[in-house]
Amino acid sequence: MLLEKIDVNGVMGMVKEMAEKGEELVQYITERVVHYMETPKEERKRNRELRPPKESWTSLWFGAVPFALSMWLEQRRARITRKKQGL
C-alpha cells in the first residue's frame, strides 16, 4: 500500500536534480581549491591583510548591547578600584 502512494517518477526526478547540484558543488569546490593552490602564498597573505576587519560575532548577533554593557562594566570596575585605592 505504501509503495502505491509513492510517485516513483517524482522521486527519480528529485534524485537526478540533487545529483546535478552535487556535481555543480564538486566543480565549484574544485575550482576554488585549484585557484587557492595556484595563488602564491605572499599574494594570499597580502589579500588577507587588505580585507577590512570583521565585526565581532557579539555585535553581529546582538547589536550594540554587548558593547554598551562592556563599557558600563569597565566604568564600574574603574570606579570600584578608585574607591579601593582612596581608602
Side-chain angles (χ1 to χ4, degrees):
M1 275 215 243
L2 182 61
L3 292 176
E4 293 172 1
K5 294 181 181 180
I6 296 177
D7 180 20
V8 176
N9 292 330
V11 171
M12 291 305 291
M14 287 175 40
V15 169
K16 287 180 184 177
E17 184 178 328
M18 288 172 55
E20 290 172 2
K21 289 183 180 181
E23 291 172 5
E24 291 173 13
L25 179 62
V26 169
Q27 180 182 359
Y28 171 75
I29 292 172
T30 305
E31 288 172 0
R32 294 292 303 251
V33 168
V34 168
H35 177 72
Y36 178 83
M37 297 297 283
E38 290 177 346
T39 307
K41 186 176 182 179
E42 295 81 23
E43 186 177 337
R44 289 194 308 260
K45 187 174 183 179
R46 193 173 346 106
N47 289 341
R48 206 175 314 125
E49 291 171 351
L50 293 175
R51 270 188 245 149
K54 291 184 178 181
E55 236 180 314
S56 67
W57 68 270
T58 54
S59 63
L60 283 175
W61 280 54
F62 305 110
V65 174
F67 177 69
L69 282 173
S70 67
M71 284 181 58
W72 178 72
L73 286 172
E74 186 177 316
Q75 289 174 357
R76 187 172 169 95
R77 287 181 187 139
R79 196 175 303 135
I80 290 171
T81 55
R82 277 195 306 250
K83 283 183 181 178
K84 285 182 181 180
Q85 289 175 355
L87 289 177

